[in-house]
Amino acid sequence: MTHKASNGARNSVQIGEQKVIRGAGGETHQISGGEVPPLTTQQGVPVADDQNSLTIGSRGPTLLEDFHFREKIFHFDHERIPERVVHARGFGVHGFFENYESLAPITSADLFQRAGERTPAFVRFSTVAGNKGSADLARDVRGFAVKLYTKEGNWDLVGNNIPVFFIQDAIKFPDLIHAAKEEPDRGFPQAQTAHDNFWDFISLTPESIHMAMWIMSDRAIPRSFRFMEGFGVHTFRLVNAEGKSTFVKFHWKPKLGMQSVVWNEALKINGADPDFHRRDLWQAIKAGNFPEWELGLQLFDEKFAETFAFDVLDATKIIPEEEVPIRRVGRLVLNRCVDNFFAETEQVAFCTQNIVPGIDFTNDPLLQGRNFSYLDTQLKRLGGPNFTHLPVNAPKCPFRTLQQDGHMTLINPKGRANYEPNSWPGEMGGPRESSDRGFVSHQADEQGQKIRIRAEAFADHYSQARQFYISQTSTEQKHIAAAFIFELSKVENPAIRARMVSHLLNVHDELADRVSKGLRLQSKPEAAIPARQPRTDLMKSPALSIMGNGPKSFHGRKLGALITDGVNAALIAALRAAFEEEGAVIEFVAPAIGGVEANDGTWIEAGQKIDGGPSVLYDAVALLISEAGAKMLVNDGAARDFISDAYVHAKFIGYVPAATSVLQRAIGNVPRDDGFIELDDSKKMSAFVQACRQLRHWEREDKLNP
Ligand code: HDE
């Protein structure tokens, strides 16, 4: 019989800078440096052996008295909590909001009173339809939820990256989400709206057509969380110290500009790196490239609301920026990753009802419904009423309630009084309401019949969908049509496909025509009968286009450079200098992860092996291979895909003459358009960076798909 050491033997021993740790089989490994804390049970009892459970003899039964084993398994069994019913897949980070100037004339909200004031923030980005383990590049709305820990309580602005929503009344939310998520009999498709139930619901819900345009646009496949806008969606109120209310729509404007990927690329990214968005944000923050957004306010009064063409309480409508300009009032900087994903990102509980003095709701029926849903959902998800005690959810200002007890309570009021009014003096009496500092709801006149009826002013479902379409560049319009065709081609029931086209006929003839042809409908359906005749006189809103508002910079973007042994070291140095000066990141992709030897004998480490670093992961590519490297890669499928995908996805391609044979093998003898930049000497590098600033060479895409 053999006995393993379990009589208090340490798991690690310090030998100078080296530590020797014991593996599961009792073997030893060396790791470097630092004191390690002893492993304990939850009760703080040090653990001597975490590799073997307690048994009678080495091959005998396990003993019930092994409290360490039982505690470990018990805790593991209960690691999961219900994932969010929507927005399950998310990524949270910390940062701060910095206020530019005092907004006292329009709001008494404390965070907006002083120029330069910084308010801690936690932001969680998410997709809506997919489960927690789904892929980042699903065609979907992105959640953009911001928790601001102000000095007068937490303000949660729980927004999206699209400024409108599918429905006008919260009572339809469960239907919308049921239709979008997996079909209940089969449990698929995952994280996709390309299926019958979704389009069945949409085609029977004309109010959703405006939002359908946005999700079929490139907005639904952002290149990065860092390159997308955010919106509060609803009309809110700002209220000043005198009680005067101003309507407001909240916008987050990314400093790095907007950018999206193309759909074929998104499909491939989901395979190559399902964590593409979260990895991007993680890497940017860890590298000190902190993304920033400016908070923009669209401010308007009752008079504007009365004269505006649509109801400002209808969340399926925008107010074009050209009509009510955006005032930029501060910046949001995201500068710290979480220490623990579960404790923070999973347990963070956003609630639309979390507002602070100086901010108030409107009667938007979607917002009113959300105010019930978010608090309610946290109870189920986080298991009790004390989720506000968790560090990520607790206010960072002093707070004191008379609430007590409940599951997992971490805070209970001290003193004798746990009720009020009470007549106990001073501290013994506990906290008191304060009429001067407390939250006061904006006083509004409300009266009317108790009815279930949609406001007449909500009845126009198509005019802004058309406005969105005409505001896009022709490339973006093509993408929208292609997305409708892709999604509806996955719909098995032809009647649903035709019904969608009947709505598009009310949006724009050209779009309806493209989609109808793309689906090969045998006869074009009649236009759907609109509740209100769509308007065709709404002006273009240039702000709605992504491509029309490019950042004209490669800052924050990523270049994938394919290298082989014998790569020209001077070119690599020039590439590094040029792209680093632009504020971009370079990742080297090589035949083996260990790296390559340059022509001057220096060693260049690789970030990816070719098949693990396909070009879909990069914004532009450079082919810096040697003659010998070209001979090797010309028959390498992954290298060919690297080039042909970059080509089809309209990326800028810098290449050395030695790469010509591989280029030809990958894309044939196509003429080199302006998206190709020959890097025959280091001086061409600045031309390459300059080209990359356009982000994509869309003319090529137009030529490839006329
Ligand atoms: Fe949400 N939504 N929602 N939603 N929503 C949730 O709350 C809901 C809506 C949004 O990162 C849930 O904590 C209803 C609009 C974001 O933790 C739930 C309605 C907008 C997040 C819920 C809406 C959003 C959520 C699920 C129709 C943009 C993720 C888990 C009236 C303005 C927050 C949770 C995070 C999450 C309900 C519509 C944004 C079930 C009933 C419109 C960003 O409470």
Side-chain angles (χ1 to χ4, degrees):
M1 192 189 295
T2 52
H3 288 274
K4 290 240 169 91
S6 59
N7 54 351
R10 289 267 174 255
N11 258 3
S12 66
V13 202
Q14 187 94 29
I15 309 174
E17 278 299 287
Q18 292 287 309
K19 214 176 339 313
V20 179
I21 57 153
R22 199 150 56 84
E27 77 287 1
T28 55
H29 307 274
Q30 292 207 334
I31 57 166
S32 56
E35 247 326 295
V36 274
L39 179 72
T40 73
T41 66
Q42 287 203 3
Q43 304 305 322
V45 176
V47 172
D49 184 339
D50 192 36
Q51 320 303 330
N52 305 290
S53 46
L54 187 64
T55 53
I56 307 267
S58 65
R59 301 176 61 247
T62 306
L63 291 180
L64 200 55
E65 78 172 56
D66 188 349
F67 57 85
H68 169 53
F69 164 78
R70 277 191 293 122
E71 183 197 82
K72 185 174 177 180
I73 297 293
F74 141 80
H75 198 276
F76 171 74
D77 290 347
H78 299 279
E79 278 179 4
R80 290 290 170 274
I81 61 170
E83 66 174 35
R84 290 162 174 80
V85 61
V86 283
H87 298 267
R89 183 167 180 81
F91 197 67
V93 288
H94 295 272
F96 62 85
F97 171 74
E98 187 178 84
N99 189 45
Y100 289 160
E101 57 184 320
S102 172
L103 299 181
I106 43 174
T107 175
S108 62
D110 187 73
L111 79 162
F112 292 126
Q113 298 310 296
R114 295 160 294 274
E117 168 121 357
R118 288 188 173 187
T119 301
F122 188 81
V123 177
R124 185 173 176 276
F125 299 108
S126 50
T127 52
V128 178
N131 292 348
K132 206 172 156 238
S134 55
D136 277 354
L137 256 293
R139 176 175 290 285
D140 202 351
V141 192
R142 297 298 180 288
F144 194 129
V146 183
K147 191 181 279 292
L148 292 155
Y149 305 90
T150 89
K151 288 181 181 151
E152 285 195 335
N154 289 353
W155 173 33
D156 292 356
L157 185 56
V158 196
N160 278 345
N161 77 327
I162 287 179
V164 288
F165 203 63
F166 291 101
I167 48 171
Q168 295 172 323
D169 188 321
I171 199 169
K172 295 311 296 168
F173 192 65
D175 301 287
L176 166 74
I177 299 305
H178 286 176
K181 288 187 86 120
E182 313 94 278
E183 300 195 2
D185 54 352
R186 57 208 70 186
F188 60 82
Q190 176 59 233
Q192 285 181 57
T193 49
H195 61 112
D196 285 62
N197 280 7
F198 180 72
W199 289 104
D200 189 30
F201 178 82
I202 296 295
S203 65
L204 295 170
T205 310
E207 72 206 52
S208 67
I209 301 297
H210 185 198
M211 174 80 163
M213 297 291 296
W214 284 79
I215 54 162
M216 291 303 103
S217 81
D218 297 343
R219 297 259 177 173
I221 40 172
R223 155 67 179 82
S224 159
F225 296 136
R226 300 179 293 137
F227 308 153
M228 63 184 201
E229 292 185 329
F231 303 91
V233 176
H234 313 282
T235 299
F236 289 86
R237 286 176 191 279
L238 292 178
V239 185
N240 71 10
E242 285 76 50
K244 180 172 176 285
S245 147
T246 309
F247 288 131
V248 62
K249 285 214 179 241
F250 295 107
H251 297 248
W252 295 108
K253 295 281 191 187
K255 283 244 182 111
L256 290 169
M258 279 185 286
Q259 189 186 340
S260 287
V261 298
V262 294
W263 179 235
N264 179 267
E265 197 182 3
L267 291 172
K268 291 174 176 167
I269 292 172
N270 281 339
D273 185 5
D275 304 308
F276 189 65
H277 280 156
R278 51 180 63 194
R279 190 188 308 280
D280 169 89
L281 188 55
W282 171 273
Q283 286 180 340
I285 292 178
K286 290 285 177 187
N289 299 323
F290 305 138
E292 288 188 23
W293 286 258
E294 283 189 302
L295 177 64
L297 308 181
Q298 271 184 308
L299 298 163
F300 54 97
D301 57 13
E302 295 274 358
K303 212 166 127 213
F304 172 86
E306 277 159 24
T307 53
F308 181 56
F310 304 96
D311 198 320
V312 300
L313 301 183
D314 174 359
T316 69
K317 305 295 184 301
I318 57 159
I319 301 177
E321 286 181 30
E322 293 76 12
E323 237 167 297
V324 177
I326 292 184
R327 175 166 165 194
R328 298 182 185 226
V329 299
R331 67 184 182 123
L332 173 72
V333 180
L334 300 182
N335 60 4
R336 184 162 61 87
C337 294
V338 297
D339 290 326
N340 182 275
F341 185 88
F342 183 87
E344 299 171 80
T345 305
E346 201 54 21
Q347 293 199 114
V348 67
F350 293 95
C351 296
T352 53
Q353 68 166 22
N354 293 353
I355 53 171
V356 291
I359 298 173
D360 210 341
F361 310 117
T362 60
N363 291 344
D364 176 339
L366 213 55
L367 178 56
Q368 300 271 325
R370 292 179 75 198
N371 284 342
F372 162 70
S373 180
Y374 288 68
L375 186 63
D376 184 53
T377 204
Q378 308 310 351
L379 187 66
K380 176 77 174 178
R381 212 168 62 73
L382 297 168
N386 290 317
F387 61 86
T388 53
H389 298 186
L390 298 169
V392 71
N393 293 323
K396 297 194 194 297
C397 63
F399 61 99
R400 183 76 201 269
T401 72
L402 290 171
Q403 298 154 16
Q404 65 175 27
D405 305 348
H407 280 293
M408 306 292 168
T409 186
L410 298 178
I411 312 158
N412 266 323
K414 281 189 187 155
R416 185 162 186 179
N418 54 0
Y419 61 94
E420 76 84 44
N422 70 64
S423 59
W424 298 106
E427 287 213 344
M428 221 200 309
R432 309 278 177 177
E433 63 195 18
S434 69
S435 54
D436 55 334
R437 282 191 49 214
F439 181 90
V440 183
S441 291
H442 172 70
Q443 288 184 14
D445 290 335
E446 305 288 358
Q447 55 179 356
Q449 282 181 311
K450 186 162 72 177
I451 44 172
R452 289 181 189 272
I453 196 165
R454 200 69 63 89
E456 178 58 27
F458 284 32
D460 179 337
H461 303 317
Y462 301 108
S463 306
Q464 284 204 344
R466 177 189 176 81
Q467 183 177 38
F468 179 74
Y469 186 71
I470 61 171
S471 303
Q472 307 299 311
T473 63
S474 66
T475 307
E476 287 169 317
Q477 289 179 337
K478 274 193 211 164
H479 289 177
I480 293 172
F484 271 113
I485 296 164
F486 179 93
E487 296 261 320
L488 294 172
S489 296
K490 296 271 181 192
V491 168
E492 291 164 9
N493 182 348
I496 298 174
R497 295 180 216 144
R499 210 187 299 139
M500 267 319 294
V501 175
S502 75
H503 289 292
L504 298 182
L505 281 162
N506 287 333
V507 177
H508 201 284
D509 281 341
E510 179 197 72
L511 173 65
D513 198 49
R514 281 179 167 169
V515 177
S516 165
K517 285 195 180 122
L519 296 171
R520 293 213 58 190
L521 292 193
Q522 289 178 25
S523 60
K524 221 191 217 175
E526 293 284 308
I529 299 169
R532 180 179 289 177
Q533 207 49 41
R535 297 175 54 165
T536 53
D537 61 338
L538 297 182
M539 307 286 280
K540 278 186 188 181
S541 169
L544 299 182
S545 160
I546 296 176
M547 292 179 194
N549 294 286
K552 307 222 167 17
S553 161
F554 203 64
H555 188 94
R557 272 70 182 174
K558 200 172 189 180
L559 177 80
L562 188 60
I563 52 173
T564 60
D565 278 341
V567 53
N568 180 336
L571 266 190
I572 295 278
L575 185 84
R576 277 199 170 119
F579 280 85
E580 276 163 20
E581 197 188 328
E582 182 74 359
V585 171
I586 302 177
E587 189 159 86
F588 290 108
V589 182
I593 192 64
V596 302
E597 190 176 354
N599 63 353
D600 67 351
T602 53
W603 194 257
I604 301 167
E605 286 191 13
Q608 296 285 353
K609 179 174 174 303
I610 301 178
D611 54 2
S615 63
V616 292
L617 303 183
Y618 308 107
D619 296 291
V621 298
L623 312 174
L624 303 183
I625 58 187
S626 61
E627 294 284 356
K631 283 204 184 89
M632 185 177 72
L633 292 185
V634 82
N635 291 319
D636 183 309
R640 288 208 303 266
D641 286 351
F642 186 92
I643 296 169
S644 62
D645 273 344
Y647 177 68
V648 172
H649 300 146
K651 288 178 183 167
F652 287 94
I653 302 174
Y655 68 102
V656 290
T660 308
S661 58
V662 192
L663 258 174
Q664 253 167 4
R665 187 70 196 271
I667 57 174
N669 270 331
V670 294
R672 304 269 183 274
D673 58 36
D674 293 345
F676 287 89
I677 289 88
E678 192 173 314
L679 304 171
D680 45 359
D681 76 75
S682 305
K683 291 194 196 103
K684 297 274 180 66
M685 221 41 96
S686 71
F688 185 34
V689 174
Q690 217 169 342
C692 288
R693 287 183 184 147
Q694 300 162 62
L695 304 181
R696 296 288 164 103
H697 186 57
W698 294 119
E699 292 87 346
R700 184 191 301 149
E701 196 193 73
D702 290 345
K703 279 204 187 106
L704 290 175
N705 310 301

